Structure formats: C-alpha cells, structure tokens
C-alpha cells in the first residue's frame, strides 16, 4: 500500500494509515514496534506484515468490537518515494456521519474522503483542531492527536477558511459512555 499519513507520538510514528486501490487500514505500533514504522512517510509504497486486531479499552462494557487496526508491524519493503495516494478505494463521508456514528456501524481503521472546514477550539490539553461540517456548521468533530495538536501544524493554513477536501482516518476513544469518533487528518486531497 501507500502511506497516506501518520499519527505521531513524541515526534515518532505511532501509527500510519495505508491505502491501495481496494481500500485502506490503520497500522498501529506499540512502544516495542514503533521503530519498525519510524521511516515510513507520506507517499511511500510499502509492504507490511502485521496482525489484524480490534483494539478496545478494558473499561468499555458494550458489545463494540473495537478499533480495527493492524498491530505488531514489520516493514518488509519500502520505496521511500512520494507516490500519489490512491483514493479510489476510499468512501466519502461527512463530518455529520462521523459525529453521529454508532458503535454498530464501526467507522474505524479506514481512510475516508471528507469535505470540511478546520478551526481550533480550546480544549483540555490546549488548542484542539476541530473539523466543521460545511453543510451544518453546528456539527463538529475533534481531531485526534497524541501530541497535544502540534502534529497538525500543516493544517494552520486552512484554519477558518472555506471547506477543503481532506483524507481522514477515524478512531474511537473507546469511551464507556458511548461512541466518540474522532477524525485523524492525514492529507489534503489532490
């Protein structure tokens, strides 16, 4: 597949989303395997060996199966080029679809095409990048970050401007109070 983008933790790749013409998936690396995906960058073609799992916090008591992801990754091959990101296997989704998503219709582990506006709002850990539905600006979803939002500096140029077409992953915070999907902005769709 082709690397669409990464979620960083302390400046290093903690997970990457990869895609090909048939679809996409999130590849998560725990502390022990983070070095295995450290060199992956947006646009790199790669072959990864990993285990398909569903992550679910132990505090979640619902029947929710958990976030779909590949874990314990091993990169078997990587080309280090900036290939075009294949979008033909990605479904279109709206901010409203994510905000109103249910556990029964698991949205996690994939990359979607979305039209959204970006802004920053105050949050518990500083400013939180937030996606706004251009069709209903009262509908918003927070952007997931492992770096207090600093991993989204590339989004600053889009703050409070007209809607852009983004490629986003979706994760759930596995809350015991229910479904709380969050967007993971990965790239601007070309």
């Amino acid at each position: 597949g082709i690397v669409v983008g990464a979620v960083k933790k302390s400046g290093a790749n903690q997970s990457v989303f990869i895609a090909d013409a048939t679809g996409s998936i999130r590849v998560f690396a725990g502390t022990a395997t983070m070095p295995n995906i450290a060199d992956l960058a947006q646009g790199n073609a790669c072959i990864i060996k990993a285990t398909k799992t569903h992550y679910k916090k132990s505090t979640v008591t619902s029947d929710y199966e958990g976030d779909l992801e590949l874990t314990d990754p091993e990169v078997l091959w990587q080309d280090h080029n900036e290939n075009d990101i294949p979008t033909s296997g990605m479904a279109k989704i709206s901010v409203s679809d994510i905000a109103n998503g249910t556990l029964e219709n698991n949205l996690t582990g994939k990359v979607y095409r979305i039209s959204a506006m970006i802004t920053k709002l105050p949050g518990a850990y500083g400013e939180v990048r937030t996606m706004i539905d251009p069709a209903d600006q009262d509908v918003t979803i927070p952007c997931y970050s492992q770096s207090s939002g600093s991993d989204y500096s590339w989004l600053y140029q889009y703050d409070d401007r007209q809607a852009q077409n983004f490629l986003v992953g979706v994760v759930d915070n596995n809350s015991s109070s229910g479904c709380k999907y969050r967007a993971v902005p990965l790239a601007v769709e070309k």
Side-chain angles (χ1 to χ4, degrees), residues 23-186:
S24 56
I25 192 144
R26 178 183 182 202
V27 179
F28 178 82
T31 304
T33 57
M34 279 176 65
N36 297 357
I37 64 170
D39 292 335
L40 291 175
Q42 189 175 64
N44 289 174
C46 59
I47 297 173
I48 296 175
K49 177 183 170 185
T51 304
K52 181 180 174 182
T53 62
H54 286 89
Y55 171 73
K56 180 176 164 179
K57 286 182 184 174
S58 60
T59 57
V60 176
T61 57
S62 70
D63 291 334
Y64 175 56
E65 64 185 345
D67 282 13
L68 172 64
E69 60 191 17
L70 299 178
T71 59
D72 301 320
E74 178 185 350
V75 177
L76 303 176
W77 175 82
Q78 171 184 4
D79 74 357
H80 297 282
N81 293 327
E82 292 183 24
N83 300 287
D84 290 338
I85 296 170
T87 58
S88 61
M90 298 176 192
K92 288 186 179 178
I93 196 168
S94 71
V95 172
S96 190
D97 292 336
I98 298 172
N100 298 316
T102 64
L103 296 177
E104 292 77 27
N105 183 22
N106 192 340
L107 299 174
T108 65
K110 298 177 188 170
V111 178
Y112 298 92
R113 298 165 63 210
I114 190 169
S115 177
M117 297 182 306
I118 295 285
T119 194
K120 54 188 173 223
L121 299 173
Y125 302 104
E127 292 180 339
V128 176
R129 287 279 173 261
T130 302
M131 295 193 116
I132 302 169
D133 194 322
D136 181 352
Q137 295 188 18
D138 291 330
V139 179
T140 64
I141 50 171
C143 296
Y144 175 75
S145 174
Q146 281 287 323
S147 303
S148 299
S150 64
D151 43 346
Y152 294 132
S153 60
W154 64 273
L155 285 174
Y156 294 173
Q157 63 185 316
Y158 302 106
D159 281 353
D160 303 316
R161 299 181 70 187
Q162 67 185 31
Q164 298 290 321
N165 294 320
F166 294 98
L167 302 178
V168 298
V170 175
V171 296
D172 179 38
N173 73 349
N174 287 285
S175 169
S176 58
S177 63
C179 183
K180 304 280 188 202
Y181 288 122
R182 295 175 287 175
V184 181
L186 301 167

